[in-house]
Amino acid sequence: MKAIIKTNIVKNVLVLTCSLFALTIVAQEEEATEKKLKISGSVDAYFRTNLSSTDQEIVTGASQAPPTSFANETGFALGMANLIASYDGEKTGVVADLTFGPRGNQATGGFNLNQLYAYWNVSEKTTLSAGRFNTYLGYEVIAPAANFNYSTSYLFSYGPFSHVGLKADFALSDDFSLMLAAMNITDVNNNLTGSYSAGAQLGYKGQYLNFYYDDGTGLGFEVDYTGGFDVSEDFYLGINAAYQDNDGSGFYGAALYPQLKTSESFAIGLRGEYFAQLEDGGPVFGFDDATVFAVTLTGSYTVENLIIKPELRLDSLSEEGFLDGDLAPTKSLSSFGVAAIYSF
């Protein structure tokens, strides 16, 4: 009788052990499958008011604002909802980046697809990507959660946003990287012009030298430096400089981004930017040889996944391109805003 009981106990232990082993394998497989598909994104909204001018409508449907991209409404306004789905296989994957709202519409022309590309890790040091991807030029990006300042710079606003084409990323060493790209002209999804563009990026320890070229149908030529340095554990200095020329029309400029982390939840940063047109004119207000000096002071307070950003901005133009409180021409515009960004 004791032998039978002992045998049953052994059988039960073996069955339980096998069951636990099987459940562990299933759980690991399910966990691996879950990790392949990732969902992330952000939602943002803001309040903005002009300090040196009126908030009333200046032109049909718009109030006065700095001539840069996004966050140009007065009063309470919406940014965008950003939803990113990525599926990562062993060597291949795909990314679908969707945007909804005013900021996304400005960035994509109402297309709603910010990015849509597939990639192939050919080797540990080489990756090929094909589709629509955000630009590699510049310090700032479209998604507000990835920028320190909520409003955007002139260098970002008048450079490219996105490209459609094929790019190859090479990890040349632990410090050096290289990217080469063949694309349509910038910010178009199809090639109705019959023109193409070429791009390149050389990276060294977080410093990037970027190049873009087309035959003049699009942007023309742009060279851009983007980088930064950890001055100390809590102080970072970002740097951006660019030169763009399309048969004499274009711009050049530079921006510094000093940022100080004062605690685990709060940081303060400044963007100081100089932006100028080439002799044949450029994008800012249509003035010949116009220059802009803009200073933006931003605070960043984080509570879990929520970031609150109060921001004070002063734009000073070499020409009378703004209007004051009496609607008289003036060279400067000051404004204040508060943005809320939730990331997930």
Side-chain angles (χ1 to χ4, degrees), residues 87-94 118-121:
Y87 185 86
D88 302 314
E90 198 169 309
K91 289 188 175 182
T92 61
V94 64
Y119 67 87
W120 172 28
N121 295 320

Side-chain angles (χ1 to χ4, degrees), residues 81-102:
N82 186 204
L83 183 64
I84 304 171
S86 62
Y87 185 86
D88 302 314
E90 198 169 309
K91 289 188 175 182
T92 61
V94 64
V95 174
D97 181 346
L98 306 177
T99 60
F100 305 93

